[in-house]
C-alpha cells in the first residue's frame, strides 16, 4: 500500500475535496442580470471586477456569486485608465465586455427572462 506511516483517507473525504466538485468542467452560461446597462464612474488606476455570470447582487460588479453557485465562470478584471463615466453591460451579451454595445436592445435579450441564460 502506502508504506509505513502512510496517511489513509476515506474515499468519501478524497472525492469531496476534488477540485472538480468546485470547478465544473463545462462553465455555466451567463444569465441576464438586467435588460438595461448601468452608468458608473470609474476612477483612474482602480481595478474593477465586472460580473460575467450575471448572478451578482452588486451589478455590474462581481460579489462572488459565480463561486458560491459553482458556475465555473470568473469575473473580468480590468483597470480604469482614466476617471470617467462609462456604461457597463448587465445583459451579459455584449461583444465588448465590460462595456455596453447596445446588445440589450436586441429582440433576443428583450424576450429573455431576467435570471435566465440567453
Amino acid at each position: 500500500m502506502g508504506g509505513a506511516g502512510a496517511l489513509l483517507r476515506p474515499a468519501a473525504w478524497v472525492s469531496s475535496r476534488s477540485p472538480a466538485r468546485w470547478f465544473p468542467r463545462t462553465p455555466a452560461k451567463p444569465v441576464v442580470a438586467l435588460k438595461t446597462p448601468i452608468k458608473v464612474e470609474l476612477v483612474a488606476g482602480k481595478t474593477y471586477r465586472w460580473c460575467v455570470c450575471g448572478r451578482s447582487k452588486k451589478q455590474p460588479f462581481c460579489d462572488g456569486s459565480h463561486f458560491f453557485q459553482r458556475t465555473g465562470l470568473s469575473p473580468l478584471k480590468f483597470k480604469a485608465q482614466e476617471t470617467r463615466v462609462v456604461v457597463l453591460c448587465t445583459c451579459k451579451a455584449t461583444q465588448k465586455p465590460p462595456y455596453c454595445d447596445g446588445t440589450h436592445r436586441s429582440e433576443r435579450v428583450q424576450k429573455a427572462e431576467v435570471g435566465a441564460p440567453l
Side-chain angles (χ1 to χ4, degrees):
M1 256 194 169
L7 181 61
L8 299 176
R9 295 183 183 127
W13 187 83
V14 173
S15 65
S16 71
R17 303 279 292 190
S18 168
R21 179 175 175 253
W22 293 101
F23 304 104
R25 289 186 182 171
T26 305
K29 289 187 177 184
V31 299
V32 175
L34 298 169
K35 295 182 185 183
T36 56
I38 295 178
K39 278 187 183 180
V40 296
E41 181 177 30
L42 301 180
V43 177
K46 185 173 179 183
T47 300
Y48 297 89
R49 288 172 178 75
W50 178 71
C51 172
V52 168
C53 73
R55 293 161 175 85
S56 172
K57 302 296 182 216
K58 296 183 177 183
Q59 289 296 327
F61 301 110
C62 179
D63 68 359
S65 294
H66 66 279
F67 181 76
F68 296 108
Q69 294 182 32
R70 299 181 188 161
T71 66
L73 300 169
S74 297
L76 175 70
K77 185 176 168 182
F78 69 101
K79 190 177 215 176
Q81 300 302 308
E82 59 183 335
T83 299
R84 65 185 177 127
V85 175
V86 297
V87 181
L88 297 182
C89 174
T90 60
C91 75
K92 310 306 172 187
T94 183
Q95 296 298 305
K96 298 179 181 184
Y99 306 102
C100 175
D101 66 359
T103 303
H104 65 277
R105 292 187 214 110
S106 71
E107 186 176 342
R108 187 181 96 177
V109 173
Q110 290 302 312
K111 284 187 173 183
E113 294 289 325
V114 169
L118 287 177

